[in-house]
Amino acid sequence: MFQAFTNFQQRQSDKLKAKCSTLSHPERLSLAKRTNAMAMGLIVAGTGCFIGLTAGLWGSIGPGAIGAGFGGACGLWFSSCGVFEEAKLILKFDEELTALEESNNDNANYEDA
Protein backbone atom coordinates (compact mmCIF):
# COMPACT_ATOMS: atom_id res chain seq x y z
CA MET A 1 0.00 0.00 0.00
CA PHE A 2 2.73 2.45 0.97
CA GLN A 3 4.72 1.50 -2.13
CA ALA A 4 1.73 2.25 -4.36
CA PHE A 5 1.30 5.65 -2.70
CA THR A 6 5.00 6.44 -3.12
CA ASN A 7 4.86 5.45 -6.80
CA PHE A 8 1.82 7.70 -7.27
CA GLN A 9 3.63 10.63 -5.65
CA GLN A 10 6.66 10.07 -7.88
CA ARG A 11 4.51 9.96 -11.03
CA GLN A 12 2.75 13.18 -10.03
CA SER A 13 6.09 14.84 -9.29
CA ASP A 14 7.44 13.73 -12.67
CA LYS A 15 4.36 15.13 -14.44
CA LEU A 16 4.73 18.43 -12.61
CA LYS A 17 8.44 18.63 -13.47
CA ALA A 18 7.70 17.92 -17.13
CA LYS A 19 5.06 20.67 -17.11
CA CYS A 20 7.46 23.10 -15.43
CA SER A 21 10.23 22.34 -17.91
CA THR A 22 8.05 23.61 -20.76
CA LEU A 23 7.43 26.95 -19.00
CA SER A 24 9.67 29.98 -18.76
CA HIS A 25 10.88 31.34 -15.42
CA PRO A 26 8.15 34.04 -15.11
CA GLU A 27 5.49 31.50 -16.08
CA ARG A 28 6.71 29.07 -13.41
CA LEU A 29 6.61 31.82 -10.79
CA SER A 30 3.10 32.74 -11.90
CA LEU A 31 2.03 29.10 -11.69
CA ALA A 32 3.45 28.81 -8.16
CA LYS A 33 1.66 31.99 -7.12
CA ARG A 34 -1.67 30.77 -8.54
CA THR A 35 -1.23 27.36 -6.89
CA ASN A 36 -0.51 29.03 -3.57
CA ALA A 37 -3.60 31.22 -3.98
CA MET A 38 -5.67 28.12 -4.72
CA ALA A 39 -4.50 26.57 -1.44
CA MET A 40 -5.41 29.74 0.44
CA GLY A 41 -8.83 29.61 -1.20
CA LEU A 42 -9.32 26.09 0.14
CA ILE A 43 -8.54 27.32 3.65
CA VAL A 44 -10.99 30.20 3.32
CA ALA A 45 -13.67 27.87 1.93
CA GLY A 46 -13.06 25.47 4.82
CA THR A 47 -13.42 28.29 7.32
CA GLY A 48 -16.68 29.37 5.72
CA CYS A 49 -17.91 25.78 5.77
CA PHE A 50 -16.99 25.44 9.44
CA ILE A 51 -18.70 28.68 10.46
CA GLY A 52 -21.77 28.02 8.32
CA LEU A 53 -22.32 24.47 9.54
CA THR A 54 -21.66 25.38 13.16
CA ALA A 55 -24.00 28.38 13.10
CA GLY A 56 -26.68 26.55 11.15
CA LEU A 57 -26.73 23.47 13.35
CA TRP A 58 -26.20 25.18 16.72
CA GLY A 59 -29.92 25.66 17.34
CA SER A 60 -30.77 22.01 16.72
CA ILE A 61 -27.84 20.03 18.14
CA GLY A 62 -26.05 22.58 20.34
CA PRO A 63 -22.32 22.34 20.96
CA GLY A 64 -22.11 19.17 18.86
CA ALA A 65 -22.38 21.50 15.89
CA ILE A 66 -18.71 22.34 16.40
CA GLY A 67 -17.79 18.73 15.62
CA ALA A 68 -20.07 18.66 12.60
CA GLY A 69 -18.57 21.92 11.35
CA PHE A 70 -15.04 20.64 11.81
CA GLY A 71 -15.89 17.35 10.11
CA GLY A 72 -17.29 19.17 7.13
CA ALA A 73 -14.40 21.61 6.85
CA CYS A 74 -11.42 19.38 7.59
CA GLY A 75 -11.44 17.89 4.08
CA LEU A 76 -10.92 21.35 2.62
CA TRP A 77 -8.29 22.31 5.18
CA PHE A 78 -6.28 19.13 4.84
CA SER A 79 -6.49 19.08 1.05
CA SER A 80 -4.88 22.53 1.04
CA CYS A 81 -1.74 20.92 2.50
CA GLY A 82 -1.18 18.99 -0.73
CA VAL A 83 -1.72 22.09 -2.84
CA PHE A 84 0.78 24.08 -0.74
CA GLU A 85 3.26 21.23 -1.23
CA GLU A 86 2.70 21.41 -4.99
CA ALA A 87 3.49 25.14 -4.94
CA LYS A 88 6.73 24.38 -3.06
CA LEU A 89 7.63 21.74 -5.64
CA ILE A 90 7.04 24.20 -8.48
CA LEU A 91 9.44 26.66 -6.84
CA LYS A 92 11.99 23.88 -6.26
CA PHE A 93 11.78 22.80 -9.90
CA ASP A 94 12.05 26.45 -10.94
CA GLU A 95 15.31 26.82 -9.00
CA GLU A 96 16.71 23.65 -10.59
CA LEU A 97 15.66 24.61 -14.11
CA THR A 98 16.85 28.21 -13.75
CA ALA A 99 20.26 27.02 -12.54
CA LEU A 100 20.42 24.59 -15.45
CA GLU A 101 19.48 27.31 -17.95
CA GLU A 102 22.09 29.67 -16.48
CA SER A 103 24.81 27.02 -16.65
CA ASN A 104 23.87 26.30 -20.27
CA ASN A 105 24.05 30.03 -21.06
CA ASP A 106 27.43 30.30 -19.32
CA ASN A 107 28.76 27.35 -21.33
CA ALA A 108 27.45 28.87 -24.57
CA ASN A 109 29.07 32.23 -23.75
CA TYR A 110 32.33 30.50 -22.90
CA GLU A 111 32.33 28.62 -26.21
CA ASP A 112 31.58 31.81 -28.17
CA ALA A 113 34.58 33.65 -26.66
Side-chain angles (χ1 to χ4, degrees), residues 16-29:
L16 185 60
K17 190 167 190 173
K19 180 180 180 180
C20 286
S21 66
T22 63
L23 301 174
S24 67
H25 175 68
E27 291 171 332
R28 288 189 296 259
L29 292 180

Side-chain angles (χ1 to χ4, degrees), residues 3-4 6 18 26 29-31 34 49 52 54 57 59 61 63-64 81 92 99 104-105 109 112-113:
Q3 183 66 30
T6 305
L29 292 180
S30 174
L31 178 63
R34 282 190 323 236
C49 178
T54 303
L57 293 173
I61 62 174
C81 296
K92 178 184 161 202
N104 287 342
N105 288 341
N109 291 339
D112 289 341

